[in-house]
């Protein structure tokens, strides 16, 4: 989460929605004492990552920050819940199991996804830190907030509006912390360093071309069996039910509607 009292602008970072790209460019604007970029232990909740707090948790545990947010124009990226769930599973397996989703067979992947669904369904209102990628997007917002909602598909549009509002030039061609599987994982760190230098020195359009070509050559193909798992009826039904409000939120963003209209 980024908050600029000077420009009355904030960015709420919903995990797995491209927010790292935005947050890293906006952090120079952050001008409140709390950094909201570390793990903390909250009474009655436990360990949480402060970058991804539901709005109810901010209101209860950080009331002064919540009041500042109410005085800000809050920018939010939302994502199609089906692709977000798949990305969240991939990130979870990478972080906590050291497993690439592309390396799993169909049966093992299905078993791991169903186990994760079981954990999500039995979790309390505030998900444990290892499941924070699976938080409902709507839980990060509330109707008291003045929200500028953008679909991930229109990140460039949001970046332009932030630039106009804050005076800080934002690049939309960056994709920080993207979850991809490489053909050779030993290349990940050197490629990251090269990408940073290319971003600094290439025009935006040229960088996008290089990035696309590099992905095509270096990314491990996702097996069709993997896609089949995420299109299986039990997993599709879970996403449709558990993230029903998120599906409406994303559709509202695609239609250019305010965030609050998905609520009854």
């Amino acid at each position: 989460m980024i908050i600029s009292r000077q420009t009355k602008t904030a960015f709420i970072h919903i995990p797995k929605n491209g927010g790292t790209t935005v947050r890293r460019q906006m952090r120079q604007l952050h001008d409140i004492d709390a950094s909201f970029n570390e793990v903390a232990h909250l009474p009655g909740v436990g360990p949480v990552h402060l970058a991804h707090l539901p709005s109810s948790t901010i209101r209860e545990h950080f009331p002064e920050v919540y009041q500042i947010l109410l005085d800000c124009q809050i920018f939010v990226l939302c994502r199609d819940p089906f692709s977000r769930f798949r990305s969240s599973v991939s990130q979870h397996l990478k972080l906590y199991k050291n497993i690439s989703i592309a390396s799993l067979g169909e049966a093992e992947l299905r078993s791991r996804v169903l186990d994760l669904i079981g954990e999500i369904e039995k979790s309390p209102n505030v998900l444990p830190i290892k499941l924070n990628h699976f938080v409902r997007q709507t839980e990060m917002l509330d109707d008291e907030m003045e929200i500028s909602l953008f679909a991930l598909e229109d990140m460039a549009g949001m970046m332009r509006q932030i630039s106009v509002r804050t005076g800080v030039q934002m690049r939309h061609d960056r994709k920080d912390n993207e979850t991809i599987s490489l053909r050779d994982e030993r290349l990940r760190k050197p490629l990251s360093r090269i990408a940073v230098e290319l971003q600094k020195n290439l025009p935006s359009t040229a960088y996008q071309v290089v990035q696309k070509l590099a992905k095509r050559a270096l990314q491990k193909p996702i097996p069709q069996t993997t896609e089949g798992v995420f299109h299986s009826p039990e997993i599709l039904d879970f996403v449709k039910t558990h993230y029903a409000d998120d599906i409406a939120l994303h559709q509202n963003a695609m239609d250019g509607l305010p965030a609050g209209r998905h609520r009854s």
Side-chain angles (χ1 to χ4, degrees):
M1 183 165 57
I2 298 291
I3 300 174
S4 168
R5 300 188 77 170
Q6 181 180 356
T7 65
K8 293 189 175 182
T9 306
F11 172 69
I12 288 182
H13 182 182
I14 301 175
K16 301 315 300 171
N17 285 15
T20 300
T21 301
V22 182
R23 181 167 49 81
R24 287 180 178 171
Q25 294 186 71
M26 287 186 70
R27 59 188 170 191
Q28 60 183 295
L29 295 167
H30 191 79
D31 58 10
I32 67 170
D33 292 336
S35 67
F36 286 93
N37 193 33
E38 67 270 355
V39 174
H41 191 283
L42 299 183
V45 177
V48 296
H49 200 302
L50 296 181
H52 308 307
L53 290 179
S55 61
S56 60
T57 305
I58 299 174
R59 188 169 59 245
E60 179 179 354
H61 294 272
F62 303 94
E64 293 181 1
V65 173
Y66 181 76
Q67 289 302 315
I68 295 172
L69 281 171
L70 295 186
D71 197 36
C72 290
Q73 184 72 36
I74 302 171
F75 288 88
V76 176
L77 279 172
C78 68
R79 182 176 182 179
D80 165 55
F82 296 95
S83 66
R84 180 175 179 261
F85 181 72
R86 182 194 174 286
S87 181
S88 297
V89 170
S90 181
Q91 183 80 351
H92 178 87
L93 293 176
K94 175 185 172 184
L95 282 177
Y96 297 102
K97 307 294 183 182
N98 196 28
I99 294 173
S100 165
I101 197 171
S103 69
L104 296 177
E106 182 176 1
E108 185 177 0
L109 177 58
R110 184 186 305 276
S111 175
R112 288 184 179 274
V113 174
L114 292 177
D115 285 347
L116 273 170
I117 288 174
E119 288 187 60
I120 294 166
E121 289 180 327
K122 70 182 181 184
S123 291
N125 290 334
V126 179
L127 292 174
I129 192 167
K130 70 175 184 176
L131 297 177
N132 70 353
H133 297 104
F134 299 95
V135 64
R136 291 182 179 97
Q137 298 175 75
T138 48
E139 292 178 3
M140 305 288 288
L141 317 174
D142 73 32
D143 290 330
E144 299 300 316
M145 296 174 173
E146 186 178 349
I147 292 170
S148 292
L149 179 70
F150 291 82
L152 182 58
E153 292 86 343
D154 190 27
M155 179 188 280
M158 189 187 80
M159 298 296 230
R160 284 193 292 269
Q161 285 205 19
I162 294 174
S163 295
V164 170
R165 183 175 177 88
T166 65
V168 173
Q169 188 60 40
M170 306 284 289
R171 291 186 61 164
H172 64 270
D173 57 309
R174 293 175 52 166
K175 287 190 177 180
D176 298 335
N177 201 33
E178 187 178 11
T179 304
I180 62 172
S181 297
L182 296 175
R183 297 179 187 272
D184 187 342
E185 285 295 325
R186 293 172 297 182
L187 296 173
R188 188 172 297 277
K189 288 186 177 179
L191 285 173
S192 295
R193 291 193 291 267
I194 291 169
V196 169
E197 293 303 315
L198 290 176
Q199 287 172 353
K200 290 179 182 176
N201 295 291
L202 287 181
S204 175
T205 51
Y207 175 75
Q208 286 178 296
V209 171
V210 172
Q211 185 184 50
K212 187 177 294 185
L213 291 173
K215 278 187 181 180
R216 191 177 301 166
L218 299 170
Q219 188 171 359
K220 184 184 293 184
I222 301 297
Q224 287 188 341
T225 52
T226 298
E227 297 299 331
V229 168
F230 287 97
H231 286 89
S232 61
E234 65 267 49
I235 293 171
L236 287 177
D237 286 347
F238 166 76
V239 176
K240 288 176 184 176
T241 303
H242 189 78
Y243 297 106
D245 282 350
D246 288 359
I247 292 171
L249 181 76
H250 180 256
Q251 188 58 56
N252 283 356
M254 294 293 287
D255 293 341
L257 298 177
R261 293 196 187 175
H262 73 285
R263 303 180 191 273
S264 56

